[in-house]
Amino acid sequence: MNSFVHKTLVAQLQAGDTDRFPVLAHLTYDAADPFAVTAVFSHDGRVLADWRLDRDMLREGLRRPVGEGDVRLRPVSRGVWKELRMELLGDTRSDGSRQHALVFWWAPALSAFLHRTHGIVPPGRERVRIDDFLADLLAGS
């Protein structure tokens, strides 16, 4: 059985007051890190951002608004089109404002990806191997 899932989706990025434009979102789930989904956003062969997202938060964000920190999610409906709106807040600029971007996902595609991850590690069955975590932590000090 595979211990990881990878899927490339087309998402829409909106930075500032600009119109949306398509970007590739390379999603990866690895059972060795069962709580996280890695999202690498790219455009024209360049990596724009690399984020680690909470898998449960993504699942919940498809149903209701979630998040209070640097990542905020909420479902959005535009007619029959269902999306997940992800707001990403980045580093503070010199003027005190924060970098800000919106990513819009087609909700059924993201839901299908998450469903595949649940086949590897069902929600609520995630386990952290504390001995491995402590060994890695102590090796780095």
Side-chain angles (χ1 to χ4, degrees), residues 74-141:
R74 68 179 167 93
V76 176
S77 293
R78 296 185 329 170
V80 296
W81 189 259
K82 307 285 186 212
E83 295 178 316
L84 175 69
R85 177 187 186 266
M86 179 169 29
E87 182 178 14
L88 303 170
L89 298 171
D91 296 332
T92 303
R93 296 182 178 125
S94 59
D95 66 1
S97 66
R98 291 185 74 184
Q99 295 173 343
H100 179 262
L102 297 173
V103 176
F104 295 89
W105 306 81
W106 187 48
L110 183 58
S111 181
F113 169 80
L114 292 172
H115 182 73
R116 288 180 58 205
T117 73
H118 297 159
I120 295 172
V121 179
R125 303 287 305 267
E126 302 92 343
R127 299 288 179 258
V128 175
R129 298 170 68 190
I130 194 70
D131 292 337
D132 293 342
F133 171 75
L134 289 173
D136 289 345
L137 184 67
L138 293 173
S141 58

Side-chain angles (χ1 to χ4, degrees), residues 3-129:
S3 63
F4 70 94
V5 176
H6 178 80
K7 181 75 175 170
T8 300
L9 302 176
V10 175
Q12 294 182 340
L13 173 66
Q14 182 178 357
D17 294 330
T18 65
D19 290 333
R20 295 181 184 188
F21 68 91
V23 295
L24 293 179
H26 308 279
L27 301 176
T28 303
Y29 177 79
D30 186 343
D33 189 5
F35 296 100
V37 170
T38 301
V40 177
F41 299 98
S42 66
H43 182 69
D44 286 339
R46 290 186 21 230
V47 171
L48 302 174
D50 184 347
W51 285 75
R52 288 187 42 160
L53 305 166
D54 182 285
R55 180 175 77 151
D56 285 341
M57 189 174 165
L58 286 171
R59 186 183 69 203
E60 284 298 309
L62 289 166
R63 294 194 292 260
R64 64 180 180 84
V66 294
E68 296 178 7
D70 294 340
V71 179
R72 299 173 190 160
L73 309 170
R74 68 179 167 93
V76 176
S77 293
R78 296 185 329 170
V80 296
W81 189 259
K82 307 285 186 212
E83 295 178 316
L84 175 69
R85 177 187 186 266
M86 179 169 29
E87 182 178 14
L88 303 170
L89 298 171
D91 296 332
T92 303
R93 296 182 178 125
S94 59
D95 66 1
S97 66
R98 291 185 74 184
Q99 295 173 343
H100 179 262
L102 297 173
V103 176
F104 295 89
W105 306 81
W106 187 48
L110 183 58
S111 181
F113 169 80
L114 292 172
H115 182 73
R116 288 180 58 205
T117 73
H118 297 159
I120 295 172
V121 179
R125 303 287 305 267
E126 302 92 343
R127 299 288 179 258
V128 175
R129 298 170 68 190

